[in-house]
Amino acid sequence: HVQLVESGGGAVQTGGSLRLSCTARGYTLSRYCMGWFRQAPGQEREGVASLDIDGRTQYADSVKGRFTISRDNANNTLYLQMDNLKPEDTAMYTCAGDQGHCMTAIQAPGAPDEYQYWGQGTQVTVS
């Protein structure tokens, strides 16, 4: 049974930082393409960052230079370090896993369709 559990969301002021965590249960996270997505009310889900099996990363233009995706293989956990947060970063953030290598650019509209496993999400609010 595959499960992804996010934590670390919360409310911060503009310019603040948060680190989101996504712990994988039931599979080895390092063997999957992993991504972070977000969805604000009334908007489409969008890709934020991805981390491939070989360590390659991709970022949405809107978060480049501010967000960092990483993983801790020993703890089977994916992270998203978010710095210099802006009000437009407010959204529900969800981690997702895709068996094999990342095949779709994280900013592509169809990126979410590639991922088979999804967490429940953690809310980030920036004011």
Side-chain angles (χ1 to χ4, degrees):
H1 176 65
V2 176
Q3 189 177 19
L4 298 174
V5 180
E6 300 98 335
S7 61
V12 295
Q13 293 186 337
T14 298
S17 298
L18 284 174
R19 189 177 78 158
L20 306 184
S21 300
C22 170
T23 299
R25 298 169 181 165
Y27 72 84
T28 302
L29 186 149
S30 61
R31 297 178 182 174
Y32 287 72
C33 165
M34 297 299 298
W36 284 100
F37 294 82
R38 67 186 181 186
Q39 188 169 20
Q43 296 188 20
E44 295 289 322
R45 177 178 283 173
E46 64 173 352
V48 175
S50 65
L51 176 59
D52 209 339
I53 297 170
D54 57 10
R56 286 180 297 173
T57 58
Q58 292 186 43
Y59 295 94
D61 290 341
S62 59
V63 306
K64 281 181 182 176
R66 301 189 297 121
F67 290 11
T68 304
I69 188 171
S70 63
R71 66 178 175 235
D72 180 343
N73 293 339
N75 291 310
N76 213 29
T77 299
L78 180 76
Y79 298 103
L80 184 68
Q81 177 66 41
M82 305 186 295
D83 298 317
N84 191 21
L85 283 160
K86 305 176 180 180
E88 51 264 43
D89 294 318
T90 295
M92 179 70 75
Y93 285 72
T94 307
C95 67
D98 168 33
Q99 193 167 6
H101 284 280
C102 299
M103 302 300 291
T104 307
I106 193 63
Q107 290 192 105
D113 296 335
E114 177 181 347
Y115 294 77
Q116 295 90 41
Y117 306 109
W118 292 84
Q120 293 300 309
T122 185
Q123 178 67 36
V124 172
T125 302
V126 186
S127 60

mmCIF file of all heavy atoms in Angstrom, residues 35-84:
data_model
loop_
_atom_site.group_PDB
_atom_site.id
_atom_site.type_symbol
_atom_site.label_atom_id
_atom_site.label_comp_id
_atom_site.label_asym_id
_atom_site.label_seq_id
_atom_site.Cartn_x
_atom_site.Cartn_y
_atom_site.Cartn_z
ATOM 1 N N GLY A 35 7.416 14.787 -7.458
ATOM 2 C CA GLY A 35 7.092 16.168 -7.765
ATOM 3 C C GLY A 35 6.286 16.836 -6.666
ATOM 4 O O GLY A 35 5.646 16.166 -5.849
ATOM 5 N N TRP A 36 6.361 18.144 -6.648
ATOM 6 C CA TRP A 36 5.496 18.974 -5.807
ATOM 7 C C TRP A 36 4.574 19.769 -6.721
ATOM 8 O O TRP A 36 5.032 20.358 -7.698
ATOM 9 C CB TRP A 36 6.307 19.939 -4.948
ATOM 10 C CG TRP A 36 6.975 19.318 -3.772
ATOM 11 C CD1 TRP A 36 8.286 18.940 -3.677
ATOM 12 C CD2 TRP A 36 6.381 19.006 -2.509
ATOM 13 N NE1 TRP A 36 8.536 18.408 -2.438
ATOM 14 C CE2 TRP A 36 7.387 18.436 -1.692
ATOM 15 C CE3 TRP A 36 5.091 19.150 -1.979
ATOM 16 C CZ2 TRP A 36 7.142 18.019 -0.394
ATOM 17 C CZ3 TRP A 36 4.855 18.733 -0.686
ATOM 18 C CH2 TRP A 36 5.875 18.174 0.096
ATOM 19 N N PHE A 37 3.315 19.771 -6.383
ATOM 20 C CA PHE A 37 2.300 20.519 -7.116
ATOM 21 C C PHE A 37 1.563 21.425 -6.146
ATOM 22 O O PHE A 37 1.576 21.211 -4.934
ATOM 23 C CB PHE A 37 1.313 19.560 -7.795
ATOM 24 C CG PHE A 37 1.943 18.734 -8.877
ATOM 25 C CD1 PHE A 37 2.643 17.581 -8.571
ATOM 26 C CD2 PHE A 37 1.841 19.109 -10.210
ATOM 27 C CE1 PHE A 37 3.242 16.817 -9.569
ATOM 28 C CE2 PHE A 37 2.423 18.359 -11.212
ATOM 29 C CZ PHE A 37 3.126 17.212 -10.889
ATOM 30 N N ARG A 38 0.903 22.428 -6.691
ATOM 31 C CA ARG A 38 0.095 23.290 -5.835
ATOM 32 C C ARG A 38 -1.173 23.699 -6.573
ATOM 33 O O ARG A 38 -1.220 23.730 -7.795
ATOM 34 C CB ARG A 38 0.881 24.530 -5.405
ATOM 35 C CG ARG A 38 1.220 25.503 -6.520
ATOM 36 C CD ARG A 38 2.118 26.623 -5.991
ATOM 37 N NE ARG A 38 2.446 27.600 -7.013
ATOM 38 C CZ ARG A 38 3.301 28.597 -6.840
ATOM 39 N NH1 ARG A 38 3.927 28.762 -5.671
ATOM 40 N NH2 ARG A 38 3.544 29.452 -7.822
ATOM 41 N N GLN A 39 -2.171 23.993 -5.774
ATOM 42 C CA GLN A 39 -3.446 24.423 -6.344
ATOM 43 C C GLN A 39 -4.056 25.459 -5.433
ATOM 44 O O GLN A 39 -4.297 25.207 -4.247
ATOM 45 C CB GLN A 39 -4.402 23.245 -6.523
ATOM 46 C CG GLN A 39 -5.668 23.589 -7.275
ATOM 47 C CD GLN A 39 -6.465 22.363 -7.673
ATOM 48 O OE1 GLN A 39 -6.311 21.290 -7.105
ATOM 49 N NE2 GLN A 39 -7.321 22.510 -8.674
ATOM 50 N N ALA A 40 -4.298 26.626 -6.004
ATOM 51 C CA ALA A 40 -4.974 27.700 -5.287
ATOM 52 C C ALA A 40 -6.468 27.627 -5.606
ATOM 53 O O ALA A 40 -6.853 27.096 -6.650
ATOM 54 C CB ALA A 40 -4.398 29.042 -5.702
ATOM 55 N N PRO A 41 -7.304 28.153 -4.733
ATOM 56 C CA PRO A 41 -8.756 28.109 -4.980
ATOM 57 C C PRO A 41 -9.118 28.710 -6.334
ATOM 58 O O PRO A 41 -8.660 29.797 -6.683
ATOM 59 C CB PRO A 41 -9.325 28.944 -3.833
ATOM 60 C CG PRO A 41 -8.325 28.816 -2.746
ATOM 61 C CD PRO A 41 -6.993 28.772 -3.438
ATOM 62 N N GLY A 42 -9.913 27.977 -7.098
ATOM 63 C CA GLY A 42 -10.366 28.469 -8.384
ATOM 64 C C GLY A 42 -9.353 28.381 -9.508
ATOM 65 O O GLY A 42 -9.618 28.836 -10.617
ATOM 66 N N GLN A 43 -8.204 27.790 -9.210
ATOM 67 C CA GLN A 43 -7.160 27.680 -10.229
ATOM 68 C C GLN A 43 -6.819 26.219 -10.506
ATOM 69 O O GLN A 43 -7.124 25.336 -9.707
ATOM 70 C CB GLN A 43 -5.905 28.424 -9.777
ATOM 71 C CG GLN A 43 -6.110 29.924 -9.615
ATOM 72 C CD GLN A 43 -4.819 30.664 -9.362
ATOM 73 O OE1 GLN A 43 -3.728 30.172 -9.646
ATOM 74 N NE2 GLN A 43 -4.932 31.870 -8.820
ATOM 75 N N GLU A 44 -6.177 26.007 -11.646
ATOM 76 C CA GLU A 44 -5.737 24.663 -12.006
ATOM 77 C C GLU A 44 -4.539 24.256 -11.145
ATOM 78 O O GLU A 44 -3.771 25.097 -10.682
ATOM 79 C CB GLU A 44 -5.330 24.628 -13.486
ATOM 80 C CG GLU A 44 -6.468 24.880 -14.465
ATOM 81 C CD GLU A 44 -7.428 23.713 -14.512
ATOM 82 O OE1 GLU A 44 -6.961 22.558 -14.438
ATOM 83 O OE2 GLU A 44 -8.636 23.959 -14.621
ATOM 84 N N ARG A 45 -4.401 22.952 -10.977
ATOM 85 C CA ARG A 45 -3.211 22.442 -10.304
ATOM 86 C C ARG A 45 -2.001 22.719 -11.192
ATOM 87 O O ARG A 45 -2.056 22.498 -12.416
ATOM 88 C CB ARG A 45 -3.358 20.959 -10.045
ATOM 89 C CG ARG A 45 -2.149 20.305 -9.406
ATOM 90 C CD ARG A 45 -2.428 18.834 -9.140
ATOM 91 N NE ARG A 45 -3.265 18.664 -7.963
ATOM 92 C CZ ARG A 45 -3.771 17.496 -7.590
ATOM 93 N NH1 ARG A 45 -3.544 16.414 -8.314
ATOM 94 N NH2 ARG A 45 -4.500 17.416 -6.495
ATOM 95 N N GLU A 46 -0.919 23.162 -10.584
ATOM 96 C CA GLU A 46 0.280 23.458 -11.361
ATOM 97 C C GLU A 46 1.501 22.796 -10.726
ATOM 98 O O GLU A 46 1.580 22.643 -9.501
ATOM 99 C CB GLU A 46 0.503 24.973 -11.465
ATOM 100 C CG GLU A 46 0.766 25.673 -10.155
ATOM 101 C CD GLU A 46 1.137 27.143 -10.336
ATOM 102 O OE1 GLU A 46 1.333 27.571 -11.480
ATOM 103 O OE2 GLU A 46 1.240 27.827 -9.309
ATOM 104 N N GLY A 47 2.427 22.432 -11.586
ATOM 105 C CA GLY A 47 3.664 21.843 -11.115
ATOM 106 C C GLY A 47 4.589 22.894 -10.553
ATOM 107 O O GLY A 47 4.705 23.990 -11.095
ATOM 108 N N VAL A 48 5.247 22.557 -9.460
ATOM 109 C CA VAL A 48 6.163 23.477 -8.798
ATOM 110 C C VAL A 48 7.610 23.030 -9.002
ATOM 111 O O VAL A 48 8.457 23.816 -9.410
ATOM 112 C CB VAL A 48 5.845 23.567 -7.295
ATOM 113 C CG1 VAL A 48 6.880 24.431 -6.577
ATOM 114 C CG2 VAL A 48 4.445 24.098 -7.071
ATOM 115 N N ALA A 49 7.881 21.765 -8.717
ATOM 116 C CA ALA A 49 9.246 21.245 -8.824
ATOM 117 C C ALA A 49 9.205 19.736 -8.948
ATOM 118 O O ALA A 49 8.266 19.098 -8.454
ATOM 119 C CB ALA A 49 10.080 21.649 -7.605
ATOM 120 N N SER A 50 10.218 19.186 -9.607
ATOM 121 C CA SER A 50 10.323 17.740 -9.697
ATOM 122 C C SER A 50 11.766 17.320 -9.456
ATOM 123 O O SER A 50 12.708 18.095 -9.676
ATOM 124 C CB SER A 50 9.843 17.221 -11.050
ATOM 125 O OG SER A 50 10.684 17.673 -12.094
ATOM 126 N N LEU A 51 11.915 16.083 -9.013
ATOM 127 C CA LEU A 51 13.227 15.505 -8.736
ATOM 128 C C LEU A 51 13.253 14.111 -9.330
ATOM 129 O O LEU A 51 12.466 13.249 -8.941
ATOM 130 C CB LEU A 51 13.458 15.451 -7.223
ATOM 131 C CG LEU A 51 14.745 14.793 -6.743
ATOM 132 C CD1 LEU A 51 15.971 15.495 -7.299
ATOM 133 C CD2 LEU A 51 14.782 14.783 -5.220
ATOM 134 N N ASP A 52 14.149 13.921 -10.290
ATOM 135 C CA ASP A 52 14.203 12.654 -11.004
ATOM 136 C C ASP A 52 15.061 11.649 -10.227
ATOM 137 O O ASP A 52 15.776 12.008 -9.285
ATOM 138 C CB ASP A 52 14.768 12.872 -12.401
ATOM 139 C CG ASP A 52 14.237 11.854 -13.395
ATOM 140 O OD1 ASP A 52 13.776 10.773 -12.965
ATOM 141 O OD2 ASP A 52 14.272 12.126 -14.603
ATOM 142 N N ILE A 53 14.991 10.406 -10.666
ATOM 143 C CA ILE A 53 15.746 9.330 -10.031
ATOM 144 C C ILE A 53 17.240 9.651 -10.029
ATOM 145 O O ILE A 53 17.951 9.370 -9.064
ATOM 146 C CB ILE A 53 15.486 8.011 -10.770
ATOM 147 C CG1 ILE A 53 14.012 7.623 -10.668
ATOM 148 C CG2 ILE A 53 16.367 6.901 -10.219
ATOM 149 C CD1 ILE A 53 13.633 6.457 -11.567
ATOM 150 N N ASP A 54 17.699 10.279 -11.117
ATOM 151 C CA ASP A 54 19.127 10.567 -11.240
ATOM 152 C C ASP A 54 19.526 11.887 -10.605
ATOM 153 O O ASP A 54 20.671 12.320 -10.729
ATOM 154 C CB ASP A 54 19.536 10.562 -12.717
ATOM 155 C CG ASP A 54 18.733 11.552 -13.556
ATOM 156 O OD1 ASP A 54 17.995 12.365 -12.973
ATOM 157 O OD2 ASP A 54 18.851 11.502 -14.788
ATOM 158 N N GLY A 55 18.587 12.518 -9.925
ATOM 159 C CA GLY A 55 18.894 13.747 -9.224
ATOM 160 C C GLY A 55 18.608 15.029 -9.978
ATOM 161 O O GLY A 55 18.737 16.124 -9.418
ATOM 162 N N ARG A 56 18.233 14.911 -11.232
ATOM 163 C CA ARG A 56 17.909 16.124 -11.989
ATOM 164 C C ARG A 56 16.657 16.776 -11.426
ATOM 165 O O ARG A 56 15.712 16.103 -11.051
ATOM 166 C CB ARG A 56 17.699 15.795 -13.470
ATOM 167 C CG ARG A 56 18.989 15.487 -14.219
ATOM 168 C CD ARG A 56 18.702 15.172 -15.672
ATOM 169 N NE ARG A 56 17.885 13.967 -15.806
ATOM 170 C CZ ARG A 56 17.376 13.543 -16.964
ATOM 171 N NH1 ARG A 56 17.574 14.262 -18.062
ATOM 172 N NH2 ARG A 56 16.662 12.441 -17.017
ATOM 173 N N THR A 57 16.684 18.097 -11.406
ATOM 174 C CA THR A 57 15.559 18.856 -10.877
ATOM 175 C C THR A 57 14.984 19.776 -11.943
ATOM 176 O O THR A 57 15.675 20.182 -12.884
ATOM 177 C CB THR A 57 15.975 19.699 -9.666
ATOM 178 O OG1 THR A 57 17.039 20.586 -10.050
ATOM 179 C CG2 THR A 57 16.448 18.823 -8.523
ATOM 180 N N GLN A 58 13.722 20.075 -11.797
ATOM 181 C CA GLN A 58 13.048 21.067 -12.629
ATOM 182 C C GLN A 58 12.229 21.953 -11.706
ATOM 183 O O GLN A 58 11.697 21.482 -10.697
ATOM 184 C CB GLN A 58 12.099 20.413 -13.640
ATOM 185 C CG GLN A 58 12.762 19.610 -14.726
ATOM 186 C CD GLN A 58 11.732 19.137 -15.743
ATOM 187 O OE1 GLN A 58 10.839 19.894 -16.153
ATOM 188 N NE2 GLN A 58 11.828 17.890 -16.151
ATOM 189 N N TYR A 59 12.100 23.218 -12.097
ATOM 190 C CA TYR A 59 11.315 24.158 -11.320
ATOM 191 C C TYR A 59 10.420 24.978 -12.241
ATOM 192 O O TYR A 59 10.803 25.308 -13.370
ATOM 193 C CB TYR A 59 12.220 25.116 -10.537
ATOM 194 C CG TYR A 59 13.058 24.440 -9.479
ATOM 195 C CD1 TYR A 59 14.356 24.016 -9.767
ATOM 196 C CD2 TYR A 59 12.550 24.206 -8.206
ATOM 197 C CE1 TYR A 59 15.125 23.374 -8.805
ATOM 198 C CE2 TYR A 59 13.312 23.582 -7.232
ATOM 199 C CZ TYR A 59 14.593 23.163 -7.538
ATOM 200 O OH TYR A 59 15.352 22.535 -6.579
ATOM 201 N N ALA A 60 9.272 25.318 -11.736
ATOM 202 C CA ALA A 60 8.433 26.282 -12.429
ATOM 203 C C ALA A 60 9.142 27.634 -12.402
ATOM 204 O O ALA A 60 9.840 27.966 -11.441
ATOM 205 C CB ALA A 60 7.078 26.389 -11.747
ATOM 206 N N ASP A 61 8.977 28.395 -13.463
ATOM 207 C CA ASP A 61 9.639 29.703 -13.548
ATOM 208 C C ASP A 61 9.296 30.581 -12.348
ATOM 209 O O ASP A 61 10.130 31.358 -11.879
ATOM 210 C CB ASP A 61 9.234 30.420 -14.840
ATOM 211 C CG ASP A 61 9.832 29.765 -16.071
ATOM 212 O OD1 ASP A 61 10.820 29.012 -15.932
ATOM 213 O OD2 ASP A 61 9.297 30.001 -17.170
ATOM 214 N N SER A 62 8.087 30.456 -11.855
ATOM 215 C CA SER A 62 7.623 31.325 -10.780
ATOM 216 C C SER A 62 8.326 31.068 -9.448
ATOM 217 O O SER A 62 8.265 31.914 -8.544
ATOM 218 C CB SER A 62 6.114 31.163 -10.595
ATOM 219 O OG SER A 62 5.796 29.820 -10.280
ATOM 220 N N VAL A 63 8.999 29.916 -9.320
ATOM 221 C CA VAL A 63 9.640 29.597 -8.042
ATOM 222 C C VAL A 63 11.145 29.439 -8.162
ATOM 223 O O VAL A 63 11.828 29.231 -7.146
ATOM 224 C CB VAL A 63 9.045 28.319 -7.413
ATOM 225 C CG1 VAL A 63 7.527 28.438 -7.297
ATOM 226 C CG2 VAL A 63 9.427 27.078 -8.196
ATOM 227 N N LYS A 64 11.685 29.519 -9.365
ATOM 228 C CA LYS A 64 13.132 29.362 -9.556
ATOM 229 C C LYS A 64 13.892 30.371 -8.708
ATOM 230 O O LYS A 64 13.551 31.541 -8.653
ATOM 231 C CB LYS A 64 13.497 29.537 -11.028
ATOM 232 C CG LYS A 64 13.220 28.323 -11.884
ATOM 233 C CD LYS A 64 13.630 28.560 -13.340
ATOM 234 C CE LYS A 64 13.312 27.352 -14.197
ATOM 235 N NZ LYS A 64 13.615 27.604 -15.627
ATOM 236 N N GLY A 65 14.921 29.857 -8.042
ATOM 237 C CA GLY A 65 15.733 30.719 -7.192
ATOM 238 C C GLY A 65 15.176 30.904 -5.799
ATOM 239 O O GLY A 65 15.862 31.460 -4.925
ATOM 240 N N ARG A 66 13.945 30.465 -5.570
ATOM 241 C CA ARG A 66 13.330 30.610 -4.241
ATOM 242 C C ARG A 66 13.026 29.258 -3.595
ATOM 243 O O ARG A 66 13.073 29.136 -2.373
ATOM 244 C CB ARG A 66 12.035 31.423 -4.338
ATOM 245 C CG ARG A 66 12.223 32.818 -4.913
ATOM 246 C CD ARG A 66 10.938 33.642 -4.786
ATOM 247 N NE ARG A 66 9.834 33.068 -5.555
ATOM 248 C CZ ARG A 66 8.679 32.676 -5.019
ATOM 249 N NH1 ARG A 66 8.473 32.784 -3.717
ATOM 250 N NH2 ARG A 66 7.708 32.185 -5.794
ATOM 251 N N PHE A 67 12.684 28.267 -4.399
ATOM 252 C CA PHE A 67 12.314 26.942 -3.897
ATOM 253 C C PHE A 67 13.414 25.939 -4.243
ATOM 254 O O PHE A 67 14.032 26.026 -5.312
ATOM 255 C CB PHE A 67 11.008 26.466 -4.512
ATOM 256 C CG PHE A 67 9.778 27.213 -4.063
ATOM 257 C CD1 PHE A 67 9.851 28.387 -3.338
ATOM 258 C CD2 PHE A 67 8.528 26.695 -4.367
ATOM 259 C CE1 PHE A 67 8.704 29.058 -2.938
ATOM 260 C CE2 PHE A 67 7.369 27.343 -3.973
ATOM 261 C CZ PHE A 67 7.458 28.537 -3.264
ATOM 262 N N THR A 68 13.594 24.956 -3.372
ATOM 263 C CA THR A 68 14.562 23.887 -3.609
ATOM 264 C C THR A 68 13.936 22.551 -3.255
ATOM 265 O O THR A 68 13.449 22.375 -2.125
ATOM 266 C CB THR A 68 15.830 24.088 -2.768
ATOM 267 O OG1 THR A 68 16.396 25.373 -3.040
ATOM 268 C CG2 THR A 68 16.861 23.013 -3.100
ATOM 269 N N ILE A 69 13.954 21.631 -4.210
ATOM 270 C CA ILE A 69 13.440 20.284 -3.966
ATOM 271 C C ILE A 69 14.623 19.367 -3.670
ATOM 272 O O ILE A 69 15.689 19.479 -4.283
ATOM 273 C CB ILE A 69 12.635 19.772 -5.180
ATOM 274 C CG1 ILE A 69 11.943 18.454 -4.858
ATOM 275 C CG2 ILE A 69 13.506 19.659 -6.430
ATOM 276 C CD1 ILE A 69 10.958 17.996 -5.943
ATOM 277 N N SER A 70 14.437 18.480 -2.710
ATOM 278 C CA SER A 70 15.509 17.556 -2.340
ATOM 279 C C SER A 70 14.882 16.321 -1.712
ATOM 280 O O SER A 70 13.677 16.293 -1.441
ATOM 281 C CB SER A 70 16.486 18.212 -1.362
ATOM 282 O OG SER A 70 15.840 18.542 -0.152
ATOM 283 N N ARG A 71 15.714 15.312 -1.492
ATOM 284 C CA ARG A 71 15.202 14.112 -0.829
ATOM 285 C C ARG A 71 16.254 13.556 0.111
ATOM 286 O O ARG A 71 17.450 13.742 -0.088
ATOM 287 C CB ARG A 71 14.775 13.055 -1.851
ATOM 288 C CG ARG A 71 15.916 12.470 -2.663
ATOM 289 C CD ARG A 71 15.439 11.381 -3.622
ATOM 290 N NE ARG A 71 16.555 10.935 -4.449
ATOM 291 C CZ ARG A 71 16.551 10.931 -5.779
ATOM 292 N NH1 ARG A 71 15.470 11.328 -6.448
ATOM 293 N NH2 ARG A 71 17.600 10.510 -6.440
ATOM 294 N N ASP A 72 15.779 12.895 1.130
ATOM 295 C CA ASP A 72 16.617 12.203 2.106
ATOM 296 C C ASP A 72 16.322 10.725 1.942
ATOM 297 O O ASP A 72 15.280 10.232 2.387
ATOM 298 C CB ASP A 72 16.271 12.697 3.513
ATOM 299 C CG ASP A 72 17.101 12.018 4.585
ATOM 300 O OD1 ASP A 72 17.703 10.951 4.320
ATOM 301 O OD2 ASP A 72 17.139 12.543 5.703
ATOM 302 N N ASN A 73 17.211 10.022 1.268
ATOM 303 C CA ASN A 73 16.955 8.614 0.971
ATOM 304 C C ASN A 73 16.877 7.768 2.250
ATOM 305 O O ASN A 73 16.093 6.825 2.339
ATOM 306 C CB ASN A 73 18.033 8.061 0.046
ATOM 307 C CG ASN A 73 17.975 8.680 -1.336
ATOM 308 O OD1 ASN A 73 16.952 9.223 -1.744
ATOM 309 N ND2 ASN A 73 19.078 8.619 -2.062
ATOM 310 N N ALA A 74 17.686 8.102 3.217
ATOM 311 C CA ALA A 74 17.706 7.314 4.459
ATOM 312 C C ALA A 74 16.360 7.363 5.172
ATOM 313 O O ALA A 74 15.929 6.386 5.783
ATOM 314 C CB ALA A 74 18.811 7.816 5.380
ATOM 315 N N ASN A 75 15.706 8.521 5.080
ATOM 316 C CA ASN A 75 14.414 8.686 5.739
ATOM 317 C C ASN A 75 13.239 8.591 4.768
ATOM 318 O O ASN A 75 12.090 8.775 5.175
ATOM 319 C CB ASN A 75 14.365 10.036 6.468
ATOM 320 C CG ASN A 75 15.291 10.071 7.664
ATOM 321 O OD1 ASN A 75 15.258 9.169 8.499
ATOM 322 N ND2 ASN A 75 16.129 11.092 7.740
ATOM 323 N N ASN A 76 13.566 8.309 3.498
ATOM 324 C CA ASN A 76 12.515 8.128 2.486
ATOM 325 C C ASN A 76 11.572 9.331 2.449
ATOM 326 O O ASN A 76 10.343 9.178 2.414
ATOM 327 C CB ASN A 76 11.727 6.842 2.753
ATOM 328 C CG ASN A 76 11.249 6.176 1.494
ATOM 329 O OD1 ASN A 76 11.859 6.291 0.426
ATOM 330 N ND2 ASN A 76 10.145 5.465 1.584
ATOM 331 N N THR A 77 12.171 10.513 2.472
ATOM 332 C CA THR A 77 11.394 11.744 2.564
ATOM 333 C C THR A 77 11.813 12.741 1.492
ATOM 334 O O THR A 77 13.002 12.903 1.217
ATOM 335 C CB THR A 77 11.565 12.379 3.955
ATOM 336 O OG1 THR A 77 11.094 11.463 4.948
ATOM 337 C CG2 THR A 77 10.774 13.674 4.073
ATOM 338 N N LEU A 78 10.831 13.372 0.913
ATOM 339 C CA LEU A 78 11.021 14.430 -0.080
ATOM 340 C C LEU A 78 10.781 15.763 0.607
ATOM 341 O O LEU A 78 9.901 15.875 1.473
ATOM 342 C CB LEU A 78 10.023 14.242 -1.218
ATOM 343 C CG LEU A 78 10.050 15.241 -2.364
ATOM 344 C CD1 LEU A 78 11.253 14.962 -3.277
ATOM 345 C CD2 LEU A 78 8.751 15.172 -3.165
ATOM 346 N N TYR A 79 11.559 16.774 0.222
ATOM 347 C CA TYR A 79 11.408 18.094 0.822
ATOM 348 C C TYR A 79 11.176 19.162 -0.246
ATOM 349 O O TYR A 79 11.565 19.003 -1.403
ATOM 350 C CB TYR A 79 12.670 18.469 1.614
ATOM 351 C CG TYR A 79 12.969 17.557 2.759
ATOM 352 C CD1 TYR A 79 13.977 16.599 2.657
ATOM 353 C CD2 TYR A 79 12.255 17.633 3.945
ATOM 354 C CE1 TYR A 79 14.265 15.745 3.705
ATOM 355 C CE2 TYR A 79 12.536 16.788 4.999
ATOM 356 C CZ TYR A 79 13.533 15.848 4.871
ATOM 357 O OH TYR A 79 13.805 15.007 5.918
ATOM 358 N N LEU A 80 10.562 20.238 0.179
ATOM 359 C CA LEU A 80 10.493 21.441 -0.638
ATOM 360 C C LEU A 80 10.802 22.612 0.282
ATOM 361 O O LEU A 80 9.978 22.988 1.131
ATOM 362 C CB LEU A 80 9.115 21.612 -1.284
ATOM 363 C CG LEU A 80 9.016 22.804 -2.237
ATOM 364 C CD1 LEU A 80 9.879 22.555 -3.489
ATOM 365 C CD2 LEU A 80 7.567 23.066 -2.652
ATOM 366 N N GLN A 81 12.006 23.154 0.141
ATOM 367 C CA GLN A 81 12.398 24.340 0.890
ATOM 368 C C GLN A 81 11.897 25.556 0.134
ATOM 369 O O GLN A 81 12.241 25.749 -1.034
ATOM 370 C CB GLN A 81 13.916 24.393 1.047
ATOM 371 C CG GLN A 81 14.426 25.643 1.756
ATOM 372 C CD GLN A 81 14.001 25.711 3.207
ATOM 373 O OE1 GLN A 81 14.014 24.709 3.910
ATOM 374 N NE2 GLN A 81 13.620 26.901 3.665
ATOM 375 N N MET A 82 11.091 26.367 0.794
ATOM 376 C CA MET A 82 10.498 27.534 0.149
ATOM 377 C C MET A 82 10.968 28.790 0.865
ATOM 378 O O MET A 82 10.670 28.981 2.055
ATOM 379 C CB MET A 82 8.972 27.433 0.193
ATOM 380 C CG MET A 82 8.437 26.145 -0.408
ATOM 381 S SD MET A 82 6.629 26.116 -0.513
ATOM 382 C CE MET A 82 6.219 26.151 1.225
ATOM 383 N N ASP A 83 11.701 29.616 0.169
ATOM 384 C CA ASP A 83 12.227 30.864 0.731
ATOM 385 C C ASP A 83 11.639 32.053 0.005
ATOM 386 O O ASP A 83 11.138 31.932 -1.114
ATOM 387 C CB ASP A 83 13.760 30.877 0.622
ATOM 388 C CG ASP A 83 14.414 29.758 1.395
ATOM 389 O OD1 ASP A 83 13.988 29.506 2.539
ATOM 390 O OD2 ASP A 83 15.355 29.140 0.858
ATOM 391 N N ASN A 84 11.730 33.211 0.642
ATOM 392 C CA ASN A 84 11.228 34.447 0.044
ATOM 393 C C ASN A 84 9.803 34.256 -0.477
ATOM 394 O O ASN A 84 9.489 34.589 -1.629
ATOM 395 C CB ASN A 84 12.154 34.909 -1.086
ATOM 396 C CG ASN A 84 11.854 36.309 -1.566
ATOM 397 O OD1 ASN A 84 11.230 37.103 -0.859
ATOM 398 N ND2 ASN A 84 12.255 36.609 -2.792
#
